Amino acid sequence: MPSLILSRRDLDFLLHEWLDVESLTKRPRFTEHSRETFDAVLDLAEQIATDHFAPHNRTADLNEPRMVDGKVEMIPEVKKALTVFTDAGLMAGSFDEEYGGMQLPHTVGQAVFAWFKAANVGTSAYPFLTMGNARLLLAHGSQEQIDTYVRPELEGRWFGTMALSEPQAGSSLADITTRAVPQDDGTYRLTGNKMWISGGDHELTENIVHLVLAKIPGGPPGVKGISLFIVPKFLVNDDGSLGERNDVVLAGLNHKMGYRGTTNTLLNFGEGVHTPGGQAGAVGYLVGEQHRGLTYMFHMMNEARIGVGVGATVLGYTGYLHALEYARTRTQGRPAAAKDPASKPVPIVEHADVRRMLLTAKSYVEGGMALGLYCARLVDEEQTAENEADRARAHLLLDMLTPIAKAWPSQWGPVADDLAIQVHGGYGYTRDYPVEQFYRDNRLNPIHEGTQGIQSLDLLGRKVVMQGGSGLALLGETITAATARAAGTEWAGFAADIDAAVARMGAVTATLWGAGDPAVTLANSHVYLEAAGHLVVAWLWLEQALATGTADSDFHQGKRQAARFFWRWELPRVHHRFDLLESLDRTVLDTPDRWL
Amino acid sequence: MPSLILSRRDLDFLLHEWLDVESLTKRPRFTEHSRETFDAVLDLAEQIATDHFAPHNRTADLNEPRMVDGKVEMIPEVKKALTVFTDAGLMAGSFDEEYGGMQLPHTVGQAVFAWFKAANVGTSAYPFLTMGNARLLLAHGSQEQIDTYVRPELEGRWFGTMALSEPQAGSSLADITTRAVPQDDGTYRLTGNKMWISGGDHELTENIVHLVLAKIPGGPPGVKGISLFIVPKFLVNDDGSLGERNDVVLAGLNHKMGYRGTTNTLLNFGEGVHTPGGQAGAVGYLVGEQHRGLTYMFHMMNEARIGVGVGATVLGYTGYLHALEYARTRTQGRPAAAKDPASKPVPIVEHADVRRMLLTAKSYVEGGMALGLYCARLVDEEQTAENEADRARAHLLLDMLTPIAKAWPSQWGPVADDLAIQVHGGYGYTRDYPVEQFYRDNRLNPIHEGTQGIQSLDLLGRKVVMQGGSGLALLGETITAATARAAGTEWAGFAADIDAAVARMGAVTATLWGAGDPAVTLANSHVYLEAAGHLVVAWLWLEQALATGTADSDFHQGKRQAARFFWRWELPRVHHRFDLLESLDRTVLDTPDRWL
């Protein structure tokens, strides 16, 4: 039986038949690699995800981490699974060989890690955060910081966090109040409370490397006064051994609807519970320069946002695969044409409405996977393309696509899980079947790493106007390069519809920014995000359809059918949204609180 | 502070400013009533819901019913609340005085009961099922059956169930296998297994009255061979006292994602665990005639479907009210125009995207409430209108609207809860706030009492073609009577858009039924249901807007703004759906299983 976690066949299609990741092996960074090494690591990921991550997904949901005597207790399966993961070298998969990594292309690395998210999103969050943390330090930390913190992270001995939010400041980082006071020895002492810190405390590893946003007194107000600090749970001696306990303590755990396997914490910094060096205050080490913390953090956040998008996709993907399996084995009712009540019930997949749900979900999750891997491919281009112009183009396009890569799957991945429950009927609503957990788990994704609203402001308020609109122009060119390839094929009509939508997006963007009042321009940013997202995924469905060429296996036919579905059923939805935006609709803007 | 359970102001608007329920007091059945008695019972409902239902909503979620030694154990708060409810006479609220009822109009009864569903849907399910059970027996049972079973139900001494589904036959009742063998004394003995039976066992009442669908051997196959039986948990002596334990036993409990306070059971009939009269087999009493069980059950189901729709609405409604309250008190960030990071954070309701979410939710839940109460008003018309023609019209229109009244709120009520979580941000995803429970609870509604797919087949396959399309024609006339009243008002444009959608619905229906192949006609029935639902609710928003007249309170302004929102943001969605239907799109139909 094929896996119900993810479809390896689809990943192979996306990686090889479409994105041609094998061509990357010609580049200096990837010369050690080949189709065989890519296959081997994907095989390994599937096997470990299947054998060590999936089996405790429900157990972790039923037995969430607890705070006992100030420590986090959790089921032992989490540590066992993560040990297998790190022992297999997967923590460092796409990192430099110099740091013990495999130097995999990001595109392959994203596909590899997708297995773990789909199998057990709660457990996978620990390495996910650690890899993001390590990547940020590699980009912006000093060599000493890299040697001290990144190496143990990539060996899986220490895990990392990103500590941004505070109880009074979720999305609004300008309002954080954690203070970092410079000390004579060049370190800082941090004081404040951080909220929503995933992996913020646990006994999985001997140390935890917090990356903390804080303000240095006297700095500029708002986001321009934010600096970034390394705050380890245990201070580290010069020889790399653990020293004193730092003054950062677990203040409480958040109890969530889903995603329960991931400890989510409230952390107190500098309350004097511990006194490193005989002094209260959490010892922190500045990363890079003062007041540039948010810029550095966005380096990690952009990667995290694409990763969250992939997570939302694969939670929907595994829901879809479970629903498909259920629909093929559960018999009930008869086709509309067969009215004889004595005839045998058929598998429910034969009912058109069940197929509607499955095809809808397929178009969302395979579309989302294409989006995630396309963005990962851009990361590879950004870092390893031969000339600077190509790297800059990839960087710009990735910047443009990031809010969509985060938000689109976070909106439609949960819908795939909703449909997966519906396909199961009453059984899907019980805890005897896994789909209800996928649904609960996936509900986090529209919230964390920047809500949908934040992503919509990023897209319309920043990305489409950056560099004089060159990001938007590049997206348009990239899409129309694909639609041009559709000329003379059965996809010409799809391409024409996409072209029309691209043209509208340009016109609507101009109208919005011509409104003369940013409040009016941005009032309906969420609608803009939805339209742009559907347009982008329509383009990626066209790309997939074209990549099937003349292959006529069931797999390829299914790809083409899902592309047709997205063309006929989903793409037309953008026009109502563009109509609304074009009218500079003020309904929301003109609604005072007292009318609600 | 206004209630966060429901809005009494809105109920008063719908009942009095729009539906004019006071005019019902001129009819013989309701002469004892007045605005004052309606107000008093609504006050009572709010008070009992607030004091006795809402407080244990989370407790019941955290401590779901358990099976201990073959019995159902649950938290004592459920029984206490239901005792207060029945002691207040609310179980019999809209029933005849002859049976101890208040003879309230259904419209008022629906508004009254909405308080309990919104406050605690799990606990409210027991009386909800009991009332439906009693109403069915009143319509189709013998006088002896009514005296024996209905009276104790309406006194709250016994509760009732509806036992339709079986493990192998959820939506497909044609395939039930529970057998009922006639006995010499006129009773039947039932053998079989029933699944998903809410309230199927508990210790809340001394007896439980199961209404069970079963097949009498030798009857016709399929749904035409289904009969309906009363199967009490305890047999009843001639004097009304309890006799022997009947042979129906609890086989297990289902553990759900939400709606946990309602015991959901697997029941075994006739396995010989008990031997009433010295013989294995559950003793059953035929209701009405043989083989007409499904017809009778639909009497209960249609009412239950409207009730489920109201439940989905009010779970969304309470989510909306909680989100609104949160948005008004939680401060974070600044308006787009105020860029000074040192300025004070504002309540998040001031952010346009938060208002978008709230206004969207408001348009769904107030639209859903209008739909539910409009249907309840049709029940009153159907039963008490002065002449037969009016009663028949009301019956026909209600029949037409029932699948929409069930399915539309079941689709959009959960979206309101989804938005309520999103407004709360990370806090909404935690179990410290109630919205995540509303979201989980509400996910049941698209499944039970006929899935969305079943409702769509009912609408397109049956309702729009019944009586030569007269139901559809009546709906159209009813809507255009409202749009005509909009002439010369600010709502003329809204009315014109509704008229256009009505015309399209007629044309599309003709196209679909002209396809010449029922498989093609019905393939996209869910799309049809969605379009019809949005059109109907748009009409009900126009009705509400017109009902505000020239009143200019914040409440009325808010009503009008939500109507504008539904007009500009929601109604246009129908056209993409009608386009798809008009094209007789075969994408889903032509997708073989192997392509998925």
Side-chain angles (χ1 to χ4, degrees):
Chain A
M1 197 177 87
S3 175
L4 299 185
I5 298 172
L6 276 181
S7 164
R8 173 63 182 274
R9 181 68 192 83
D10 189 27
L11 290 176
D12 284 345
F13 169 80
L14 295 170
L15 293 174
H16 300 296
E17 296 175 57
W18 177 40
L19 294 172
D20 190 18
V21 293
E22 220 176 328
S23 67
L24 291 170
T25 61
K26 292 178 196 133
R27 296 186 184 167
R29 181 174 172 82
F30 306 121
T31 47
E32 300 292 307
H33 283 292
S34 63
R35 172 75 190 250
E36 285 66 36
T37 64
F38 296 160
D39 283 349
V41 70
L42 281 164
D43 289 346
L44 181 70
E46 177 171 355
Q47 178 243 310
I48 295 175
T50 305
D51 295 346
H52 299 279
F53 278 64
H56 72 278
N57 193 42
R58 175 65 73 173
T59 317
D61 180 69
L62 294 175
N63 304 277
E64 65 187 339
R66 294 183 309 146
M67 185 169 162
V68 180
D69 297 334
K71 292 189 174 185
V72 175
E73 282 189 0
M74 65 178 77
I75 58 168
E77 290 91 330
V78 178
K79 182 164 183 152
K80 283 181 198 158
L82 291 173
T83 302
V84 174
F85 177 87
T86 51
D87 286 354
L90 292 170
M91 185 74 89
S94 51
F95 287 84
D96 294 0
E97 284 174 10
E98 157 179 21
Y99 299 110
M102 298 184 199
Q103 237 162 267
L104 281 170
H106 273 277
T107 320
V108 177
Q110 194 68 268
V112 163
F113 200 65
W115 282 98
F116 301 100
K117 285 180 177 152
N120 189 325
V121 78
T123 295
S124 76
Y126 300 99
F128 178 69
L129 290 161
T130 302
M131 291 186 287
N133 177 304
R135 221 179 299 280
L136 186 155
L137 286 177
L138 282 169
H140 302 290
S142 66
Q143 189 60 46
E144 187 194 342
Q145 288 171 339
I146 291 170
D147 290 335
T148 306
Y149 299 103
V150 174
R151 287 183 184 280
E153 285 185 332
L154 295 184
E155 289 163 12
R157 293 192 293 115
W158 302 355
F159 285 169
T161 74
M162 49 198 292
L164 290 73
S165 302
E166 300 183 1
Q168 83 294 349
S171 298
S172 179
L173 293 172
D175 294 321
I176 65 168
T177 58
T178 295
R179 287 159 48 92
V181 177
Q183 309 293 304
D184 292 343
D185 62 359
T187 66
Y188 291 75
R189 289 285 176 144
L190 277 75
T191 317
N193 308 307
K194 291 289 177 181
M195 182 67 166
W196 309 121
I197 312 309
S198 287
D201 205 4
H202 53 70
E203 304 299 314
L204 293 168
T205 50
E206 56 194 19
N207 203 2
I208 300 173
V209 182
H210 302 292
L211 285 175
V212 184
L213 293 184
K215 289 184 173 177
I216 299 168
V223 295
K224 288 177 183 155
I226 296 175
S227 302
L228 178 66
F229 300 88
I230 297 168
V231 181
K233 179 175 174 182
F234 287 94
L235 301 183
V236 183
N237 298 321
D238 290 343
D239 64 358
S241 64
L242 298 188
E244 275 185 284
R245 182 71 164 79
N246 205 352
D247 193 12
V248 46
V249 297
L250 179 64
L253 299 182
N254 292 308
H255 299 99
K256 295 164 290 177
M257 174 167 69
Y259 232 104
R260 294 190 183 184
T262 305
T263 322
N264 188 272
T265 64
L266 180 61
L267 296 178
N268 288 349
F269 292 79
E271 297 210 329
V273 177
H274 302 285
T275 49
Q279 180 190 342
V283 176
Y285 309 98
L286 182 70
V287 177
E289 297 169 25
Q290 289 190 352
H291 311 319
R292 299 205 52 210
L294 206 60
T295 308
Y296 304 150
M297 192 56 97
F298 265 103
H299 187 277
M300 180 167 169
M301 290 239 280
N302 280 335
E303 182 189 312
R305 285 174 172 181
I306 295 165
V308 165
V310 172
T313 292
V314 299
L315 276 173
Y317 211 128
T318 189
Y320 161 66
L321 293 174
H322 281 83
L324 180 58
E325 169 67 15
Y326 183 83
R328 285 173 169 164
T329 50
R330 166 77 174 177
T331 60
Q332 197 180 136
R334 287 151 200 85
K339 288 284 182 193
D340 175 9
S343 65
K344 262 181 62 177
V346 298
I348 60 171
V349 70
E350 294 191 25
H351 300 307
D353 195 55
V354 172
R355 285 212 300 286
R356 168 190 64 85
M357 294 191 271
L358 292 167
L359 192 54
T360 305
K362 179 182 169 79
S363 83
Y364 294 162
V365 301
E366 295 185 9
M369 188 60 90
L371 176 59
L373 293 183
Y374 186 87
C375 287
R377 188 72 167 79
L378 288 177
V379 175
D380 283 320
E381 289 303 302
E382 179 186 34
Q383 295 180 352
T384 68
E386 278 179 38
N387 62 69
E388 175 54 31
D390 286 352
R391 291 197 294 275
R393 274 173 72 89
H395 179 81
L396 184 64
L397 187 55
L398 183 63
D399 235 21
M400 182 73 200
L401 286 174
T402 298
I404 293 169
K406 193 277 177 182
W408 192 89
S410 296
Q411 182 169 2
W412 302 101
V415 175
D417 288 318
D418 181 70
L419 291 166
I421 290 177
Q422 196 68 15
V423 168
H424 282 75
Y427 291 101
Y429 193 64
T430 70
R431 277 127 59 203
D432 298 325
Y433 286 77
V435 287
E436 68 88 23
Q437 184 183 344
F438 303 147
Y439 180 73
R440 287 185 289 110
D441 287 352
N442 217 348
R443 186 61 190 81
L444 178 60
N445 287 314
I447 299 172
H448 67 163
E449 299 297 344
T451 62
Q452 304 298 87
I454 294 287
Q455 302 303 326
S456 74
L457 292 174
D458 183 42
L459 179 66
L460 181 58
R462 192 176 314 149
K463 295 302 172 63
V464 301
V465 286
M466 66 184 173
Q467 301 178 29
S470 60
L472 182 60
L474 176 58
L475 175 63
E477 287 161 26
T478 308
I479 294 176
T480 50
T483 56
R485 284 188 285 120
T489 72
E490 80 158 287
W491 305 105
F494 189 11
D497 289 348
I498 291 171
D499 284 341
V502 169
R504 280 210 81 182
M505 182 164 162
V508 163
T509 308
T511 301
L512 285 169
W513 278 107
D517 177 355
V520 174
T521 302
L522 297 174
N524 304 326
S525 59
H526 189 264
V527 177
Y528 187 88
L529 175 69
E530 285 185 308
H534 252 52
L535 170 54
V536 162
V537 175
W539 151 50
L540 296 175
W541 266 115
L542 176 66
E543 291 267 7
Q544 291 183 79
L546 292 171
T548 64
T550 57
D552 66 351
S553 71
D554 285 337
F555 172 82
H556 291 96
Q557 300 263 31
K559 271 286 171 205
R560 286 197 287 269
Q561 193 71 350
R564 286 181 202 110
F565 178 86
F566 207 88
W567 171 16
R568 297 167 189 164
W569 286 58
E570 297 290 332
L571 177 59
R573 294 187 184 204
V574 303
H575 291 292
H576 154 54
R577 301 191 199 287
F578 284 138
D579 290 346
L580 192 71
L581 291 162
E582 205 159 49
S583 74
L584 298 176
D585 184 80
R586 297 183 57 106
T587 314
V588 164
L589 200 62
D590 291 347
T591 305
D593 167 21
R594 64 184 185 277
W595 290 2
L596 290 168
Chain B
M1 196 175 86
S3 174
L4 299 185
I5 298 173
L6 276 181
S7 163
R8 173 62 181 273
R9 181 69 192 84
D10 189 27
L11 291 176
D12 283 344
F13 170 79
L14 295 170
L15 293 174
H16 300 296
E17 296 175 57
W18 177 41
L19 294 172
D20 190 18
V21 293
E22 220 175 329
S23 66
L24 291 171
T25 61
K26 293 177 196 136
R27 297 187 183 168
R29 182 175 172 83
F30 306 120
T31 46
E32 300 293 307
H33 285 291
S34 63
R35 172 73 190 252
E36 286 64 39
T37 63
F38 296 160
D39 283 351
V41 69
L42 282 163
D43 289 347
L44 182 69
E46 177 171 356
Q47 178 243 312
I48 296 175
T50 305
D51 295 346
H52 299 279
F53 279 64
H56 72 278
N57 192 41
R58 174 66 74 175
T59 317
D61 180 70
L62 294 175
N63 303 278
E64 66 187 337
R66 293 183 311 144
M67 185 169 161
V68 180
D69 297 334
K71 292 189 174 186
V72 175
E73 281 190 359
M74 66 177 76
I75 58 168
E77 290 91 329
V78 178
K79 184 166 183 150
K80 283 181 199 157
L82 291 173
T83 301
V84 174
F85 176 87
T86 53
D87 285 355
L90 292 170
M91 186 74 90
S94 52
F95 287 84
D96 293 0
E97 285 174 8
E98 154 180 21
Y99 299 110
M102 298 183 198
Q103 237 163 265
L104 281 170
H106 274 276
T107 319
V108 178
Q110 193 69 267
V112 164
F113 199 64
W115 282 99
F116 301 99
K117 285 180 177 152
N120 189 324
V121 78
T123 295
S124 75
Y126 300 99
F128 178 68
L129 290 162
T130 302
M131 291 186 285
N133 178 304
R135 221 179 297 280
L136 187 155
L137 286 176
L138 283 168
H140 302 290
S142 67
Q143 189 59 47
E144 188 194 339
Q145 289 172 338
I146 292 169
D147 291 335
T148 306
Y149 300 103
V150 173
R151 287 183 185 278
E153 285 185 332
L154 295 184
E155 290 163 12
R157 292 192 293 116
W158 302 355
F159 284 169
T161 73
M162 49 199 292
L164 290 72
S165 301
E166 300 184 1
Q168 83 294 349
S171 298
S172 180
L173 292 173
D175 294 320
I176 64 167
T177 58
T178 296
R179 286 158 50 90
V181 178
Q183 309 291 304
D184 293 343
D185 63 356
T187 67
Y188 292 75
R189 290 283 176 147
L190 278 75
T191 318
N193 309 306
K194 291 288 176 180
M195 182 69 165
W196 309 120
I197 312 309
S198 289
D201 205 4
H202 53 71
E203 305 298 315
L204 293 168
T205 50
E206 55 193 18
N207 203 3
I208 300 174
V209 183
H210 302 292
L211 284 175
V212 184
L213 293 184
K215 290 185 173 177
I216 299 168
V223 295
K224 288 176 183 157
I226 295 175
S227 301
L228 178 66
F229 300 89
I230 297 168
V231 181
K233 180 174 174 182
F234 287 94
L235 300 185
V236 183
N237 299 321
D238 289 345
D239 65 355
S241 65
L242 296 189
E244 277 185 281
R245 182 72 163 79
N246 204 352
D247 193 11
V248 45
V249 298
L250 179 64
L253 299 182
N254 293 308
H255 299 98
K256 295 164 289 177
M257 175 168 68
Y259 232 103
R260 293 191 183 184
T262 305
T263 322
N264 189 272
T265 63
L266 181 61
L267 295 179
N268 288 349
F269 291 79
E271 296 209 330
V273 177
H274 302 285
T275 50
Q279 181 192 341
V283 176
Y285 309 98
L286 182 69
V287 177
E289 296 168 25
Q290 290 190 351
H291 311 318
R292 299 204 52 208
L294 205 61
T295 308
Y296 303 149
M297 191 57 98
F298 264 102
H299 188 274
M300 180 167 168
M301 289 239 281
N302 280 334
E303 183 190 312
R305 284 174 175 182
I306 294 165
V308 165
V310 172
T313 292
V314 299
L315 275 173
Y317 211 128
T318 188
Y320 161 67
L321 293 174
H322 280 84
L324 180 57
E325 169 67 16
Y326 183 83
R328 284 173 170 164
T329 50
R330 166 78 175 177
T331 59
Q332 196 180 136
R334 285 149 201 87
K339 288 284 182 194
D340 176 9
S343 65
K344 260 181 63 176
V346 297
I348 61 171
V349 71
E350 294 192 25
H351 300 308
D353 195 56
V354 172
R355 284 210 302 285
R356 168 189 65 85
M357 294 190 273
L358 292 167
L359 192 54
T360 305
K362 179 182 170 80
S363 82
Y364 294 162
V365 302
E366 294 185 10
M369 189 60 88
L371 176 60
L373 292 183
Y374 186 87
C375 287
R377 188 71 167 79
L378 288 178
V379 175
D380 283 321
E381 289 304 303
E382 180 186 35
Q383 295 180 354
T384 68
E386 279 179 40
N387 62 69
E388 175 54 31
D390 286 351
R391 290 197 293 274
R393 276 173 72 90
H395 179 80
L396 184 63
L397 188 55
L398 183 62
D399 235 21
M400 182 74 201
L401 287 174
T402 297
I404 293 169
K406 193 277 176 182
W408 193 88
S410 295
Q411 182 169 2
W412 302 102
V415 175
D417 289 317
D418 181 72
L419 291 166
I421 290 177
Q422 197 68 16
V423 168
H424 282 75
Y427 291 101
Y429 193 65
T430 70
R431 277 125 60 200
D432 298 324
Y433 285 77
V435 287
E436 67 88 23
Q437 184 184 344
F438 303 146
Y439 179 74
R440 286 185 290 108
D441 288 351
N442 217 349
R443 185 61 190 81
L444 178 61
N445 288 315
I447 298 172
H448 68 165
E449 299 297 342
T451 62
Q452 304 297 87
I454 296 286
Q455 302 303 328
S456 74
L457 292 174
D458 182 42
L459 180 66
L460 181 57
R462 193 175 316 146
K463 296 301 173 63
V464 301
V465 287
M466 66 184 173
Q467 299 178 31
S470 60
L472 182 61
L474 177 57
L475 175 63
E477 287 160 25
T478 308
I479 294 176
T480 49
T483 56
R485 284 188 284 121
T489 73
E490 81 158 287
W491 305 105
F494 188 11
D497 289 347
I498 291 171
D499 284 341
V502 169
R504 281 210 80 182
M505 182 164 162
V508 163
T509 308
T511 300
L512 285 169
W513 278 107
D517 177 354
V520 174
T521 303
L522 297 174
N524 304 326
S525 58
H526 189 265
V527 177
Y528 187 89
L529 174 70
E530 285 185 308
H534 251 52
L535 170 54
V536 162
V537 175
W539 151 51
L540 296 175
W541 267 114
L542 176 66
E543 291 268 6
Q544 292 183 78
L546 292 171
T548 64
T550 55
D552 67 351
S553 72
D554 286 336
F555 172 82
H556 291 97
Q557 300 263 31
K559 271 287 171 205
R560 286 197 287 270
Q561 191 71 349
R564 286 181 201 110
F565 178 86
F566 207 89
W567 170 14
R568 297 168 188 163
W569 287 57
E570 297 291 331
L571 177 59
R573 293 186 185 204
V574 302
H575 292 292
H576 153 53
R577 300 192 200 287
F578 283 139
D579 291 345
L580 192 69
L581 292 163
E582 204 159 49
S583 74
L584 297 176
D585 184 79
R586 297 184 57 105
T587 314
V588 164
L589 201 62
D590 291 347
T591 305
D593 166 23
R594 64 185 186 278
W595 290 2
L596 291 167

